[in-house]
Amino acid sequence: MKKIALFLMAAAAVISCNKEEFVPHVDFAPVEVTIPTAGTDELAEPVTFNFTANAAWTAEVKGENVIEWLSISPKKGEAGEASIKFTATANTAKENRTATLEINVEGLETIVVPVVQLQKNAIDVNADAAYTVSFKGGSVEIEVGHNVAYTYEVSADWLVETKAYTTDKLTFTVAEQEVNAPARSATVTVYSELGVVMIVSITQEAWSPIAWTNSLTELGAGAGRVGVAVAGDKVYFTANGELFAADAATGAGATKIALPEGFVAGGVHVDDAGNLMVSGPDRVVSDGTCGQLQLYKVAADGSYQVLVDYNSANYWCTEMGNFRVKGDINGDALIMAYICVGTGHYAAWEVKGGVVGEPVYGDLHDGSWDASTGVVAPAGASLADGFFAITYGSTYNLNYYNGTEWAEVYVTGSTWMENYNCISTTEVNGKKYLAMTASCHFDYDYTDIIVVDVTDVTAAKEVFKIQMNFHTVNGGGLTYSDIHIQNENGMLAAYVVDSWMDTVEKYLFPLE
């Protein structure tokens, strides 16, 4: 994405050293394990806790009398994906019972996961079925123990309840806020025959996934074709033909990175191995001459090596751009770009052993007249792995090509004038995710980040669809022209760049 020669040499040296230093980590979705009241014997699906560790691990459950009702299997494992199964007896108590699952990996703090088994719902009337009271009157006490709501009625007006002063605790469970939802408030009104005693206000904070925002204007960059990608601890982004780098965790320290003499940056890219690339801007062939589109690899010494030097004369087109890369460009990889030939087409370069092959072409059977409003994204390191495509065309839906046939995997619901100009893919906790952005030509405050689970492309499902117009950095909504997603400690990190409001931002989303 971006680095000056000395900076890249220093980074390469650090990376080289870090390769020798093993850093243990565990990826898992933040969760509380819940076991039903009846236990686990009759469950159709087991109760499990799933995680991924890069080192050997051990696990145990702890809690009061936990050995009497709860066990786990396995209690240890090697590096890789793991699933711990819970076995629990029925809970006959009238309160929830709790425990903790503790996972230990050498070099890491103990991971503590809460475990709760739900109470047995019950109501008990601790009284005789019949009482005889003196003609002079008296009292009868009927004790009701309960953890569910109940009512009662009296069949005669000569039987009057004696109201002793007691204290109850009203406990409310507050549901988790949805992503990007505003703050919300509710009230609990306590009243009786004496009237309203008190109104208690409860406010739940808004939950915004935004981690940081950088203004490109403050960096001296104007609007223009932009791109974003992340390599190591740096986020790289392009704006107004220039390349910048900043700290990926905080967005701080944004600096301009030198480019080859006369080179105008359009996009910035990173492959699965972390190799950094920069491409020229999308090219428009408006005067009948042949445009040129280039993709450079950023070498460790700060120099730039040409990977793709594409000319529209190779396959006649009027628009071309939007590179996407999967695999390792120093080994096996697939490079793709979107091109226009009346309708949408693609160009693809397979990389074998670090050598870029000749381009191959295909018809998307739909598409737009502008290369920045259509995109093709490899699903793997070769064309045989298939690819995703979405265009400014007739359906605006996400499609997947498996090498022999097309399938529509996600329906956007768009019907008119919608731009879907970027796709990014990643894997988190064993699941594959695809993110894209939507923005309308004539309604720039309608901008969505859409995340889809494509682990099974035949049954893809929407995870998030978030309208990004809540922050006040520039007011109104943003029209993101690029997105990069990746796994960060079991959460989905999304880096986005906006070509209209001149901002680069980072969002963090929890996953189930």
Side-chain angles (χ1 to χ4, degrees), residues 40-93:
T40 57
D41 286 346
E42 303 300 324
L43 291 180
E45 295 291 336
V47 178
T48 60
F49 177 75
N50 302 314
F51 63 97
T52 302
N54 68 344
W57 54 270
T58 60
E60 62 179 326
V61 285
K62 292 185 176 181
E64 185 177 354
N65 299 323
V66 69
I67 194 172
E68 298 176 3
W69 63 276
L70 181 64
S71 62
I72 59 171
S73 178
K75 295 183 178 181
K76 62 181 179 179
E78 300 300 321
E81 296 182 358
S83 182
I84 295 177
K85 178 182 176 182
F86 292 82
T87 301
T89 62
N91 185 7
T92 58

Side-chain angles (χ1 to χ4, degrees), residues 3-17 298-303:
K3 288 188 179 159
I4 349 179
L6 291 177
F7 179 79
L8 282 167
M9 292 173 69
V14 171
I15 293 170
S16 175
C17 293
V298 182
D301 62 0
S303 63

Side-chain angles (χ1 to χ4, degrees), residues 413-466:
S414 299
T415 58
W416 182 71
M417 299 298 279
E418 202 82 44
N419 280 352
Y420 291 87
N421 62 350
C422 55
I423 289 175
S424 179
T425 58
T426 193
E427 187 169 321
V428 184
N429 299 333
K431 291 186 176 182
K432 296 178 180 179
Y433 295 94
L434 178 147
M436 54 188 176
T437 62
S439 57
C440 181
H441 272 317
F442 303 121
D443 184 11
Y444 290 124
D445 63 350
Y446 180 73
T447 302
D448 293 327
I449 288 179
I450 301 170
V451 177
V452 182
D453 183 339
V454 291
T455 306
D456 179 358
V457 293
T458 65
K461 57 183 179 180
E462 181 182 297
V463 181
F464 295 118
K465 184 176 182 180
I466 306 155

Side-chain angles (χ1 to χ4, degrees), residues 11 29 37 52 77 105 110 138 181 198 215 251 270 289 367 378 408 464 468 486:
T37 304
T52 302
V105 175
T110 298
M198 177 175 285
S215 168
V270 64
T289 61
E408 191 173 70
F464 295 118
M468 289 303 181
Q486 65 180 31

Side-chain angles (χ1 to χ4, degrees), residues 227-247:
V228 64
V230 178
D233 60 355
K234 295 293 182 182
V235 55
Y236 298 90
F237 46 94
T238 57
N240 201 30
E242 297 179 308
L243 181 63
F244 297 85
D247 182 88

Side-chain angles (χ1 to χ4, degrees), residues 127-208:
D128 295 331
Y131 291 87
T132 299
V133 182
S134 166
F135 69 91
K136 292 184 178 181
S139 65
V140 174
E141 186 175 87
I142 301 173
E143 182 179 314
V144 179
H146 64 95
N147 57 17
V148 295
Y150 73 95
T151 61
Y152 68 93
E153 59 183 44
V154 181
S155 63
D157 59 8
W158 51 265
L159 198 60
V160 180
E161 181 187 2
T162 300
K163 299 177 180 178
Y165 185 85
T166 59
T167 301
D168 288 336
K169 285 186 178 180
L170 304 178
T171 303
F172 299 91
T173 300
V174 181
E176 182 180 351
Q177 272 280 43
E178 293 185 1
V179 174
N180 203 27
R184 56 186 177 183
S185 298
T187 57
V188 177
T189 303
V190 181
Y191 58 90
S192 70
E193 61 189 29
L194 303 177
V196 174
V197 179
M198 177 175 285
I199 299 175
V200 180
S201 176
I202 300 173
T203 300
Q204 186 175 23
E205 297 176 341
W207 187 79
S208 163

Side-chain angles (χ1 to χ4, degrees), residues 208 210-218 468-478 480 496 498 500-507:
S208 163
I210 192 166
W212 52 257
T213 296
N214 267 357
S215 168
L216 300 185
T217 304
E218 294 176 1
M468 289 303 181
N469 65 350
F470 58 88
H471 63 80
T472 58
V473 175
N474 291 297
L478 300 181
Y480 296 116
V496 287
D498 156 50
W500 296 89
M501 298 295 184
D502 306 321
T503 58
V504 56
E505 298 182 326
K506 177 181 181 179
Y507 298 88

